[in-house]
Amino acid sequence: MGHPAAGRVSAVPATPEPGGRRPRPGTQTVDRSVAVLRTFEDADRQTPTEIAHRLGLSVSTAHRIVQALHATGMLGRDARTERYFLGPTTAILGRLALERMGTTLLQPELTALRDGTGEAVSLGVRVGDEVAVLLHLPSTHPLRYDQPPGDRNPIHTCAMGKTLLAFDDDQVAMEEPYRRFTPSTLTTRAELAAELARIRERGYSVNDEERLAGVRAVAAPVRDGAGRTFAAVALQGPSVRFGDDRMPQLTEAVLKAATRLTDLHRHLA
């Protein structure tokens, strides 16, 4: 089962921040550099002109940022086509980040969860008002829901997102109404608050076709050594296999896996 593209990046405006404050010196360059890197989340190779058009930047500005990123190894360059791609420094930092977060060492438990249920498993973390997928193991079934590492989903629309919100003090910064994707999407702060209270009471979250029609999921929190929720683990798949008769079994599997992942992470820490 396919999945929509991850959240798109947009140009960093040069206008004052809310409240009339000007951006701090240097932050615009940093923001634009990050925006350039994020365009590669859903594009393999690009020219500076293509990046400029995507972000609403001038070609000269995009070219300058790309050259600086290339000089540090964050971007690589194909000399034949003059197109850029994510470079070795990006790969090294990404690998180190995953290892130091302990996520790569959690993969055996995620594999056991996938093999025990036959369903897709994801581990995600919060990035602003989105959930970023760190690890994903596809279902063993031909009909499945896939979201490769790097995919991002609006936090109010998915089981992992609602789990992370329920066990975190930082609420969403989105303005109401929240973006609607299906008739089941929660679009108001009151609706979301009521749902988060239910999640805290039962210890897990359910996505009932709130992001994509025909896709359901169940997720639970993964905590670090200090007891803070730093990630969420989820089982995801088509509604035909995530019916109400099977959801208790899937929920129990996710909760047990979340407990094992938490214990393992605390031990590793």
Side-chain angles (χ1 to χ4, degrees), residues 126 159 161-172 189-206 219-221 223 229 255:
R126 181 176 182 178
K162 292 189 296 181
T163 293
L164 292 167
L165 279 175
F167 299 99
D168 189 358
D169 293 332
D170 294 331
Q171 297 305 303
V172 297
R189 193 173 302 275
E191 289 176 334
L192 184 58
E195 174 71 354
L196 298 182
R198 288 189 290 268
I199 293 168
R200 284 189 289 269
E201 181 178 353
R202 66 193 183 196
Y204 65 91
S205 172
V206 173
R223 297 179 171 88
T229 297
L255 287 170

Side-chain angles (χ1 to χ4, degrees), residues 107-129:
Q107 187 150 347
E109 286 293 344
L110 300 176
T111 301
L113 177 60
R114 190 273 308 276
D115 293 345
T117 61
E119 302 299 345
V121 176
S122 293
L123 186 75
V125 296
R126 181 176 182 178
V127 180
D129 284 342

Side-chain angles (χ1 to χ4, degrees), residues 92-105 230 265 268-269:
I92 292 168
L93 290 175
R95 179 180 60 78
L96 289 174
L98 288 175
E99 289 181 357
R100 291 170 183 176
M101 290 175 66
T103 53
T104 53
L105 298 175
F230 77 96
H265 194 274
L268 294 173

Side-chain angles (χ1 to χ4, degrees), residues 67-79:
Q67 283 188 318
L69 292 171
H70 178 248
T72 64
M74 298 295 286
L75 292 179
R77 178 176 177 271
D78 187 323

Side-chain angles (χ1 to χ4, degrees), residues 112-243:
L113 177 60
R114 190 273 308 276
D115 293 345
T117 61
E119 302 299 345
V121 176
S122 293
L123 186 75
V125 296
R126 181 176 182 178
V127 180
D129 284 342
E130 295 179 313
V131 175
V133 179
L134 292 183
L135 296 172
H136 178 78
L137 301 177
S139 168
T140 58
H141 297 282
L143 179 64
R144 64 196 189 196
Y145 173 70
D146 288 335
Q147 51 175 9
D151 265 15
R152 298 195 184 204
N153 292 307
I155 199 166
H156 69 294
T157 66
C158 59
M160 289 192 296
K162 292 189 296 181
T163 293
L164 292 167
L165 279 175
F167 299 99
D168 189 358
D169 293 332
D170 294 331
Q171 297 305 303
V172 297
M174 300 178 297
E175 294 184 359
E176 297 179 88
Y178 307 146
R179 182 180 175 188
R180 180 181 295 279
F181 292 85
T182 74
S184 300
T185 304
L186 304 176
T187 60
T188 69
R189 193 173 302 275
E191 289 176 334
L192 184 58
E195 174 71 354
L196 298 182
R198 288 189 290 268
I199 293 168
R200 284 189 289 269
E201 181 178 353
R202 66 193 183 196
Y204 65 91
S205 172
V206 173
N207 172 8
D208 193 3
E209 303 189 40
E210 295 161 48
R211 176 71 176 87
L212 291 171
V215 175
R216 298 184 84 186
V218 58
V222 181
R223 297 179 171 88
D224 61 18
R228 295 183 295 262
T229 297
F230 77 96
V233 59
L235 282 171
Q236 303 140 325
S239 299
V240 293
R241 290 202 309 273
F242 277 62

